[in-house]
């Protein structure tokens, strides 16, 4: 992509017709890591180029040798940053308006990568850097790019997404609509709810933020979501709490089933589980219990749990010394 090429972020998001001809189409890559941060490209601050000095997505225009827009974006990533992301898939379609007033369709591809941008050989622009969604308002970038990243971040936050049929530009070689990527998600923490993807932080992540999956922040968000879901179903508080506690029992049963699978005591199923499966099921029990507590005690769940933990621990452990007490406790 050269500096005159229209990037992805020049116009409000817009869905295009699926059979749009492609001679002038562009492609851009929305790249995110396991922590939910986005890889952004700082463009040269040179007067006269498109969006000078702004943060944008990597990408560029289709060239005659590109047989598809996927080839376009893969070529651009290799040329601009030496990047190869096998899991790129179509995410959505937007429009950009060039300096001569021509409207260009932009196919947005999304893919996950967790490397260090400092190791990449950038051939255009100033730098590449990971940014969390909450940092985006402080960056110089097109409002439509910011909105696009926010939309994708919300999808990562709410689970699998089924795109509209027009989220992929028609391609002479490929006409199959794309599906945006999603991370493996945890077991449901509430009866009748949609599971949430909870990717772990990436090793060596240097984004400017605290842990995205801070325990009580995440538990509180889960509790609020499940409350809203059950409110829509017309359930009162007592009914919601009852179902949530029953969910704990269900998760406990699954942990027990995993132990039976490890021991191979069910002759019909045999050795059907591993201890790693047991660990995961026990984690589900803990998570579901924390969500239950947060739903029943939304104002003081965390201090209440600390109080209960201290009371239970005092029966088995000596009191901690002042040096052992965390200042954050």
């Amino acid at each position: 992509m050269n500096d005159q090429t229209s990037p992805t972020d020049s116009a409000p998001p817009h869905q295009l017709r699926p059979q749009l001809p492609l001679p002038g189409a562009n492609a851009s890559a929305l790249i995110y890591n396991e922590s939910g941060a986005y890889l952004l490209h700082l463009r040269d601050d040179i007067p006269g180029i498109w969006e000078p000095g702004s943060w944008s997505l990597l990408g560029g225009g289709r060239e005659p040798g590109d047989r598809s827009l996927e080839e376009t974006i893969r070529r651009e990533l290799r040329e601009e940053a030496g990047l190869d992301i096998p899991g790129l898939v179509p995410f959505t379609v937007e429009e950009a308006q060039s300096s001569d007033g021509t409207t260009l369709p932009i196919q947005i591809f999304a893919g996950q990568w967790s490397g260090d941008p400092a190791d990449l050989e950038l051939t255009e622009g100033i730098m590449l850097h990971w940014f969390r969604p909450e940092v985006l308002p402080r960056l110089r970038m097109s409002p439509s790019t910011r909105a696009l990243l926010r939309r994708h971040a919300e999808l990562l936050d709410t689970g699998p997404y089924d795109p509209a049929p027009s989220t992929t530009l028609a391609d002479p070689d490929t006409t199959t609509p794309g599906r945006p990527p999603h991370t493996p998600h945890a077991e449901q923490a509430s009866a009748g709810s949609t599971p949430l993807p909870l990717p772990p932080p990436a090793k060596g992540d240097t984004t400017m933020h605290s842990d995205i999956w801070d325990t009580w922040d995440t538990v509180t968000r889960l509790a609020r979501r499940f409350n809203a879901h059950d409110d829509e179903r017309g359930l009162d508080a007592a009914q919601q709490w009852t179902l949530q506690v029953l969910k704990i029992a269900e998760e406990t049963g699954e942990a027990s089933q995993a132990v039976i699978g490890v021991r191979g005591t069910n002759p019909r199923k045999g050795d059907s589980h591993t201890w790693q499966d047991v660990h995961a099921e026990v984690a589900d029990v803990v998570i579901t219990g924390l969500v239950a507590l947060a739903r029943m005690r939304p104002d003081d769940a965390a201090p209440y749990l600390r109080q209960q933990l201290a009371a239970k621990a005092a029966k088995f452990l000596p009191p901690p010394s002042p040096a052992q007490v965390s200042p954050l406790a």
Side-chain angles (χ1 to χ4, degrees):
M1 177 175 119
N2 58 50
D3 284 330
Q4 300 300 330
T5 305
S6 302
T8 309
D9 49 4
S10 58
H14 184 70
Q15 296 282 338
L16 299 179
R17 297 186 302 276
Q19 298 300 321
L20 193 69
L22 296 179
N26 285 17
S28 292
L30 189 158
I31 301 169
Y32 63 101
N33 65 17
E34 294 178 346
S35 295
Y38 291 91
L39 186 65
L40 297 180
H41 179 214
L42 180 59
R43 295 172 58 76
D44 291 308
D45 193 6
I46 301 175
I49 70 170
W50 192 276
E51 296 289 345
S54 296
W55 292 94
S56 65
L57 305 182
L58 289 167
R62 189 179 190 186
E63 294 185 356
D66 297 338
R67 294 172 298 176
S68 67
L69 286 174
E70 182 175 352
E71 286 195 2
T72 297
I73 190 57
R74 292 191 181 282
R75 174 183 53 74
E76 289 287 342
L77 290 177
R78 287 193 303 270
E79 292 177 356
E80 294 185 2
L83 261 175
D84 182 19
I85 302 176
L88 281 176
V89 295
F91 174 66
T92 192
V93 174
E94 299 202 346
E95 284 183 348
Q97 193 159 14
S98 63
S99 56
D100 62 3
T102 303
T103 297
L104 297 173
I106 310 293
Q107 175 71 65
I108 309 297
F109 291 84
Q112 187 170 325
W113 181 74
S114 297
D116 185 351
D119 294 335
L120 299 176
E121 296 184 4
L122 188 65
T123 61
E124 292 183 22
I126 306 300
M127 66 180 297
L128 294 166
H129 191 76
W130 291 112
F131 289 102
R132 288 281 309 143
E134 58 265 28
V135 179
L136 300 181
R138 307 206 301 268
L139 301 180
R140 179 179 177 180
M141 65 166 49
S142 167
S144 56
T145 295
R146 191 177 294 114
L148 171 67
L149 295 171
R150 287 285 187 186
R151 292 206 315 271
H152 187 271
E154 289 172 2
L155 299 181
L156 288 181
D157 209 33
T158 57
Y161 167 71
D162 292 317
S166 59
T167 55
T168 304
L169 284 174
D171 200 293
D173 306 298
T174 300
T175 57
T176 303
R179 180 183 181 85
H182 61 272
T183 54
H185 36 271
E187 290 293 323
Q188 292 180 342
S190 173
S193 63
T194 303
L196 299 181
L198 301 179
K203 289 185 177 180
D205 181 30
T206 58
T207 50
M208 301 180 290
H209 69 290
S210 60
D211 184 1
I212 179 179
W213 299 122
D214 171 79
T215 301
W216 277 108
D217 175 70
T218 304
V219 166
T220 300
R221 288 162 56 199
L222 286 167
R224 289 173 179 169
R225 179 176 177 186
F226 300 146
N227 286 342
H229 175 77
D230 286 347
D231 287 343
E232 292 177 358
R233 298 165 60 202
L235 302 179
D236 61 30
Q239 290 173 316
Q240 294 186 29
W241 297 351
T242 300
L243 291 174
Q244 186 69 45
V245 172
L246 290 175
K247 184 64 178 175
I248 299 174
E250 179 189 349
E251 298 292 354
T252 303
E254 292 182 5
S256 301
Q257 184 181 29
V259 172
I260 292 173
V262 169
R263 307 301 297 179
T265 55
N266 185 332
R268 182 173 62 85
K269 296 183 178 180
D271 298 327
S272 59
H273 291 71
T274 68
W275 281 112
Q276 290 296 326
D277 296 325
V278 177
H279 300 170
E281 296 296 349
V282 170
D284 284 346
V285 174
V286 174
I287 293 168
T288 307
L290 290 176
V291 171
L293 192 61
R295 295 185 72 179
M296 291 187 286
R297 303 182 69 98
D299 298 326
D300 67 345
Y304 180 78
L305 179 62
R306 286 198 296 270
Q307 174 188 334
Q308 292 298 311
L309 179 61
K312 301 296 181 183
K315 298 179 181 179
F316 301 95
L317 301 174
S321 66
Q324 293 174 309
V325 177
S326 168
L328 300 179

